[in-house]
Amino acid sequence: MSGRSKRESRGSTRGKRESESRGSSGRVKRERDREREAEAPSSRGSPVRVKREVEPVSAREAPTPVVPAVRVKREREADEDSEPEREVRAKNGRVDSEDRRSRHCPYLDTINRSVLDFDFEKLCSISLSHINAYACLVCGKYFQGRGLKSHAYIHSVQFSHHVFLNLHTLKFYCLPDNYEIIDSSLEDITYVLKPTFTKQQIANLDKQAKLSRAYDGTTYLPGIVGLNNIKANDYANAVLQALSNVPPLRNYFLEEDNYKNIKRPPGDIMFLLVQRFGELMRKLWNPRNFKAHVSPHEMLQAVVLCSKKTFQITKQGDGVDFLSWFLNALHSALGGTKKKKKTIVTDVFQGSMRIFTKKLPHPDLPAEEKEQLLHNDEYQETMVESTFMYLTLDLPTAPLYKDEKEQLIIPQVPLFNILAKFNGITEKEYKTYKENFLKRFQLTKLPPYLIFCIKRFTKNNFFVEKNPTIVNFPITGRANGMNYKTCR
């Protein structure tokens, strides 16, 4: 081969290499420029696709946790109210809450007020959850959420029920379109769900007693309405109705501002008793109710929870025991103490008395030994100051024999006779399994409202016996009325 051909071959090889080098450098430069453009923010705000880096094999093989994402998705679907109030979910995206359909909803005429009942616990009828509960205003049932795949949404699509009420925020929504309904004609429904009273209305309750008309046409007097007997809760209904007609206690619980700011320790469930009693009181005195009776379901649920099932709905209880527990639990939940801090409960019902106690010798001892024991300090009379919420009155023993007409004689006794127990003079013997005591009671301070509990039932080894004695009490010369209740 000649020298010229060798130089041409080397030149072509060198040129080829330079051209390949320039091509590869150009590709590297173009890729770098593309990466810089991807990293730089877009001036137009359009989305830019970023090259995803290759993950190591260990990262690809590791499974990603999907349970939290699913849980978050379900919570967001169940609770659309967590979004800002300015936005609501519609079929084709997010729209402003001031939807023109909000004030022109075509489904308001489907609301059936005769089936609405807000006395029961606010739970979803399917999931039994109290979180984000909605009431269907067409059939009266409760459902959870209003987002896609929520129970309320599915119910609206399946049964063509479109108007729903959030039981917590008191806002109305149309489903499945999911826009808020704003209409003044729905105020009567929100008032039944959450009645409110002004100070002027509370002051005029006893001055202007007017009959109210329910939605079904029946008339009732606010405050004098029946409480439903769910199964065996009549003993509690009698106490709750009596307490609802005590004006100072009633006025205190009709205004929620009196107790809603009371601070309680974290995890305290006893304040639920205060909230539920206030709600029940406002429903009993509601002049715009849809029906002439009230169900104490939520109140009794709180009683069962706070009393740790001591008092139940399905089992009969003692009215006096329930009254004693309820007043003390209410006083404690309002922040009261035994001695220093008082509440509306103690201001209305608490009085004070002196209890004189004397120990008696055993009756089987000889007379001389009894006289010697009476001189000991142990058998001397002692006095103790005590407070009370109610007074227990004892009835005379019922007769055992029948009269000439073969009928049992039902004795009668004046109220003042059985009140002699607290005059400070009358003594009564109390026996225990090993000691006997002689006690007398002297009232030192009477409360504004005095509760009498007449003890009619006595229990022996075989059965419970009821004393049928009739108690005569005065009905004339009363100031502002007098409620006389016998706790049986």
Side-chain angles (χ1 to χ4, degrees), residues 357-363 365-382 436-438:
T357 306
K358 182 191 298 184
K359 186 178 179 181
L360 298 178
H362 196 278
L365 294 177
E368 297 179 356
E369 189 173 351
K370 288 182 180 180
E371 293 180 2
Q372 293 179 358
L373 291 175
L374 291 176
H375 294 289
N376 296 342
D377 295 339
E378 183 183 359
Y379 291 87
Q380 300 302 314
E381 188 176 63
T382 59
N436 297 341
F437 295 93
L438 201 63

Side-chain angles (χ1 to χ4, degrees), residues 183-198:
D183 197 293
S184 60
S185 64
L186 303 176
E187 292 180 357
D188 61 333
I189 299 178
T190 57
Y191 191 85
V192 171
L193 175 59
K194 191 175 182 179
T196 55
F197 292 83
T198 63

